[in-house]
Amino acid sequence: MRPSEQRWRIVVIDDSPDDRAEIRRLLLRGSARQYDLVEASTGAAGIRAIREAAGGPPDCVILDYHLPDADAPEVLAELAGPDGNGVCPVVVATGSNGEATGRAVLSAGAQDFIGKSWMTAESLTRAVENAVTRWAMVQALRAGDARLRAALDTAQQAVRSRDELVSLVSHDLRNPLNALVAGISLLEDEALGDEGRGVLRRMARQAQRMDEMIHELVDVAQLRAGVPLALTLADTDLVQLTRALIEEHQDGAPAHRIEVRTAPLSLVGSWDGRRLHRVVNNLLSNAIKYSPGGGRVQIELEDATEGATTWALLRITDEGMGISTDDQARVFQWFSRGVNARRTTIQGTGIGLAGVRDIVEQHGGSVSVHSEEGKGSTFTVRLPTRPPPPSAPHRAG
Ligand SMILES: Nc1ncnc2c1ncn2[C@@H]1O[C@H](COP(=O)(O)OP(=O)(O)OP(=O)(O)O)[C@@H](O)[C@H]1O
Ligand SMILES: [Mg+2]
């Protein structure tokens, strides 16, 4: 149905029977549209007619400015209700041509106004059509705004839940863990025999891994909130740290041959040891995890001096499933897992590499990947041995 064929319900509120008749005449003459007109002679009767209209609020109201019981702004305020939104479009018919009266009714919520003295069939019809169109647009904007607000509420709720989760994890989980660690070290002093001591060592290692995971979770929440980590820099030997990690991983990966090739015997930089441990740990566990058939995992360590900066280079190469070209750009994003991982049953959350990238970049370094599907991957980390001060962060590409 074309708009002009739709039948509109109009409420005319005017105390003068002559003016109501004139409005009716002009409306019917002014357009091809059909109208159902309801008339009221006071503000109160008009409001009742609008509120109680069968089929909901009318398409438009034509409201006389001066009524026996109220002026147009009062009727508009009553119609606006507590939320100030109103129920339908209103055109105010003013007795005078005054612009000030017009502005007053517009700010009270009318969509348009028209002076009775210059009212013609054409101008009245246009005012009603414009008011209905403008009203529809405002409703659409309001609906969009409400959706936006709802989305914002959901997002804020999610942030609140995340913060609560982080505080739960960081405080409530740490307490039992600390008790466990304290218990283990107490038992270590007892004479338990070799087997007992072996069990204790494994328990201590698991407790330490759990502690590291809690730290990682807290860091992830902080990084996701866009807050840089407060790095605790101290002289850290990357060679020693890597060798210790290889030892830890080799036991659990008998099908893999983890080899280290290092030019320097030690590679010391001013780094956050705990975070750097996480970087190498994530890269090494990925190399093992994503080469489920086993094979060689090679770790190369080098140092290189460029001008006044000494760089540490760490390269981890595996012979696993590799990463598609499309995914290579994505795998460093939070919670992003490659197609290669998703089509297997290999477990993961997609936070390892994003954390690696953020930690390395906060040290003034960079991380990159070179990979071929079905052949394997090489992840390369470049770290300056002295990170730039946090005020001048170096964002590597
Ligand atoms: N060495 C690798 N070989 C093949 N694919 C890899 C390798 N390392 C990472 N990927 C791909 O990159 C994705 C992201 O790695 P990331 O370490 O961030 O997450 P994850 O291993 O899936 O989970 P987790 O958060 O437990 O580490 C992986 O899901 C996988 O698709
Ligand atoms: Mg991973």
Side-chain angles (χ1 to χ4, degrees):
M1 193 188 286
R2 290 204 310 275
S4 61
E5 289 167 347
Q6 270 175 272
R7 217 176 160 84
W8 276 0
R9 290 178 300 127
I10 309 269
V11 174
V12 181
I13 311 174
D14 200 309
D15 56 330
S16 152
D18 288 350
D19 285 358
R20 291 203 302 271
E22 177 67 358
I23 288 172
R24 174 191 291 273
R25 193 179 64 79
L26 293 177
L27 266 186
L28 295 178
R29 230 182 54 194
S31 83
R33 192 184 292 284
Q34 305 269 305
Y35 297 100
D36 288 328
L37 293 174
V38 173
E39 294 178 19
S41 58
T42 62
I47 288 168
R48 252 198 325 277
I50 293 165
R51 294 227 170 103
E52 291 165 13
D59 294 296
C60 191
V61 171
I62 299 170
L63 173 66
D64 181 23
Y65 191 93
H66 287 298
L67 294 162
D69 57 342
D71 280 345
E74 293 167 78
V75 177
L76 286 163
E78 177 70 25
L79 281 177
D83 60 1
N85 288 345
V87 290
C88 62
V90 178
V91 175
V92 175
T94 61
S96 70
N97 287 357
E99 275 293 313
T101 316
R103 273 200 303 277
V105 295
L106 290 184
S107 66
Q111 267 59 51
D112 208 348
F113 64 95
I114 183 165
K116 280 187 177 172
S117 54
W118 79 80
M119 201 188 274
T120 62
E122 200 195 11
S123 64
L124 178 62
T125 310
R126 194 165 352 104
V128 170
E129 298 274 346
N130 285 347
V132 173
T133 310
R134 207 169 304 159
W135 174 262
M137 277 164 55
V138 169
Q139 297 317 300
L141 282 174
R142 254 182 216 141
D145 194 39
R147 274 199 296 277
L148 204 65
R149 238 190 284 273
L152 208 63
D153 275 357
T154 312
Q156 279 168 344
Q157 181 57 42
V159 169
R160 269 197 300 279
S161 313
R162 182 199 61 201
D163 289 348
E164 281 160 17
L165 180 71
V166 168
S167 106
L168 173 99
V169 164
S170 56
H171 298 106
D172 301 3
L173 272 189
R174 273 218 182 102
N175 289 341
L177 188 63
N178 288 341
L180 204 67
V181 171
I184 292 171
S185 62
L186 260 181
L187 281 177
E188 272 169 350
D189 295 340
E190 304 284 322
L192 286 167
D194 283 349
E195 199 185 335
R197 268 194 293 276
V199 171
L200 276 187
R201 254 198 314 278
R202 282 197 293 281
M203 282 170 70
R205 210 161 41 227
Q206 294 304 326
Q208 201 195 331
R209 279 185 59 187
M210 199 159 164
D211 184 53
E212 178 50 37
M213 281 156 81
I214 294 172
H215 276 100
E216 181 167 9
L217 207 59
V218 174
D219 278 2
V220 168
Q222 188 172 331
L223 289 168
R224 296 272 299 154
V227 184
L229 304 174
L231 298 179
T232 311
L233 301 178
D235 279 357
T236 307
D237 183 356
L238 185 57
V239 173
Q240 201 185 357
L241 182 152
T242 306
R243 285 195 189 285
L245 268 165
I246 293 174
E247 207 172 303
E248 261 180 50
H249 280 276
Q250 185 65 83
D251 277 357
H256 293 82
R257 218 162 359 100
I258 310 177
E259 296 172 355
V260 62
R261 284 211 343 231
T262 165
L265 287 179
S266 73
L267 223 174
V268 177
S270 177
W271 298 311
D272 185 321
R274 183 190 279 279
R275 265 81 181 227
L276 198 56
H277 181 275
R278 193 185 306 151
V279 166
V280 183
N281 191 29
N282 274 323
L283 293 175
L284 185 52
S285 41
N286 278 350
I288 296 167
K289 179 159 88 158
Y290 296 110
S291 48
R296 193 170 60 141
V297 173
Q298 191 173 57
I299 306 182
E300 295 163 275
L301 292 162
E302 285 169 28
D303 54 357
T305 303
E306 282 169 20
T309 310
T310 303
W311 294 88
L313 298 182
L314 167 87
R315 249 190 312 271
I316 301 193
T317 304
D318 64 67
E319 300 171 340
M321 55 182 66
I323 307 171
S324 73
T325 318
D326 278 355
D327 276 344
Q328 284 173 30
R330 278 195 284 265
V331 288
F332 292 100
Q333 292 166 7
W334 290 107
F335 299 103
S336 166
R337 303 199 74 209
V339 173
N340 60 355
R342 280 183 276 129
R343 64 174 166 228
T344 66
T345 53
I346 299 171
Q347 299 278 317
T349 336
I351 61 172
L353 286 180
V356 164
R357 185 204 51 196
D358 275 7
I359 292 172
V360 168
E361 289 186 359
Q362 283 197 27
H363 279 85
S366 64
V367 56
S368 59
V369 62
H370 178 86
S371 185
E372 217 177 308
E373 273 185 289
K375 295 220 165 131
S377 312
T378 298
F379 282 85
T380 305
V381 172
R382 266 168 64 87
L383 275 178
T385 53
R386 307 249 145 245
S391 53
H394 164 100
R395 252 195 105 76

